Amino acid sequence: MKIRIELDDSLDDVEVIIKTASLTDQVHQLQQLLSQVKHPSLVFYKDASEYFVRLEEILFFETDGGKIFAHSRTDAYEVRLKLYELEEILPIIFCRISKSSIANVRSVYSLDKSFSGTSRIRFADTHKVVHVSRRYYQLLKERLQELR
């Protein structure tokens, strides 16, 4: 099997093309694996209800009091996964920004850097902000450049 990666700035999402002479079991398995990776299924909780929110609507994930919360522009939902588990399944548009937070890079409106070394992300059309630690600042800057 030959694998080739091409970078294209004009694409908004990852596109995978499989070229093969025939549909083999290996190709079918590869297709199934790719479809699982592309659409992680997350269930969000609030009170006694389950919510099925599109990942693109989530601005950031953060820990608070031993729980993980996913923040949209208007709401916050509990997620019953650890941050390191979220890191493994979330698409590339999400980036670790501190020990306790993961942000949706495509939703970043501004990145304010302070003299103390910590920075702050603001999101459009909401009062919500999240802090970026010095350790993850450069990674975030690189991801912003890649995905913008």
Side-chain angles (χ1 to χ4, degrees):
M1 179 183 332
K2 200 166 68 171
I3 298 175
R4 187 175 76 201
I5 298 175
E6 296 178 6
L7 301 177
D8 186 345
D9 292 339
S10 66
L11 294 176
D12 288 332
D13 203 0
V14 176
E15 177 182 327
V16 177
I17 299 171
I18 300 173
K19 294 182 179 183
T20 182
S22 63
L23 280 176
T24 63
D25 287 337
Q26 183 183 27
V27 172
H28 186 62
Q29 287 174 342
L30 186 57
Q31 180 186 15
Q32 287 179 331
L33 285 172
L34 287 170
S35 66
Q36 290 172 3
V37 171
K38 184 169 173 54
H39 301 292
S41 60
L42 287 179
V43 179
F44 302 94
Y45 302 91
K46 190 171 185 181
D47 301 321
S49 300
E50 293 182 353
Y51 293 86
F52 302 93
V53 180
R54 291 184 20 234
L55 280 177
E56 294 81 21
E57 294 178 30
I58 301 300
L59 302 174
F60 61 95
F61 295 88
E62 74 173 347
T63 58
D64 185 17
K67 294 183 178 183
I68 308 295
F69 290 94
H71 291 263
S72 68
R73 290 196 193 312
T74 58
D75 247 323
Y77 307 94
E78 185 179 346
V79 178
R80 296 184 180 154
L81 293 171
K82 304 286 185 206
L83 278 181
Y84 70 88
E85 293 171 326
L86 284 169
E87 257 187 314
E88 291 174 7
I89 63 170
L90 288 172
I92 196 164
I93 64 169
F94 287 91
C95 178
R96 188 74 171 243
I97 57 167
S98 71
K99 188 176 173 182
S100 60
S101 303
I102 298 173
N104 181 340
V105 176
R106 290 228 171 108
S107 297
V108 172
Y109 179 69
S110 72
L111 181 58
D112 306 325
K113 189 161 181 159
S114 72
F115 291 111
S116 65
T118 61
S119 303
R120 186 174 66 167
I121 292 174
R122 291 189 300 158
F123 303 95
D125 304 323
T126 185
H127 67 282
K128 295 185 178 185
V129 297
V130 66
H131 294 278
V132 181
S133 70
R134 278 183 274 171
R135 178 179 177 197
Y136 292 97
Y137 181 80
Q138 193 58 39
L139 174 64
L140 174 63
K141 292 280 289 184
E142 290 170 9
R143 191 71 61 86
L144 280 166
Q145 300 249 334
E146 289 172 11
L147 296 176
R148 291 290 170 165

